[in-house]
Amino acid sequence: MKLGRLNHIGVATPSIADSIAFYRDVMGAGRITEPFDLPDQGVKVCFVDTPGADGAMNGTQIELIEPLGENSTLAGFLAKNPLGGQHHLCFEVPDIAEARSEFEAMGKRILGPTRIGAHGTPIFFVHPKDMGGMLTEIMETPKEGTHWSN
């Protein structure tokens, strides 16, 4: 397994609208996508773009995540962390099936099936106990034109 690009940092929030205002008004974010629902995952998400080393808006994104209801897996996280906070890290890989096989061969616990994530590419999550205490999303690198904003 080879470490890929840090695509985004997932941040759980009880209110995407309030978080958008924070990133826009306090942190000076200029590019924030419109929130959209991912009903299969029980969440609403949007992305905050950050600048890359070249100054263009192609840096690591911040994914704001709000539960769509009490049955969302995110609801449990917010019950323990009512203000929200860092939920997961997401790394890119060139081939999701190969990455999944490698993690499984290492005995890492995969949480659920591979599915389509918020960027429209296949993803899976690896249990925090197997990843240094961090819930980790593994995402197939988006093809040209499929990444929401960069």
Side-chain angles (χ1 to χ4, degrees), residues 94-131:
D95 183 306
I96 197 78
E98 182 180 322
R100 186 178 179 111
S101 293
E102 288 182 33
F103 276 108
E104 289 173 338
M106 289 185 273
K108 305 299 183 189
R109 288 170 279 186
I110 309 288
L111 303 173
T114 299
R115 57 193 181 271
I116 300 301
H119 283 97
T121 63
I123 65 162
F124 62 84
F125 285 87
V126 186
H127 198 288
K129 290 183 179 176
D130 294 334
M131 300 299 287

Side-chain angles (χ1 to χ4, degrees), residues 2 13 21 36 41 47 61-62 83-84 94 138 141-142 148 150:
K2 196 169 191 177
T13 177
F36 58 96
Q41 296 183 35
F47 291 94
Q61 291 182 310
I62 299 164
L83 297 177
I138 304 298
T141 301
W148 287 112
N150 58 356

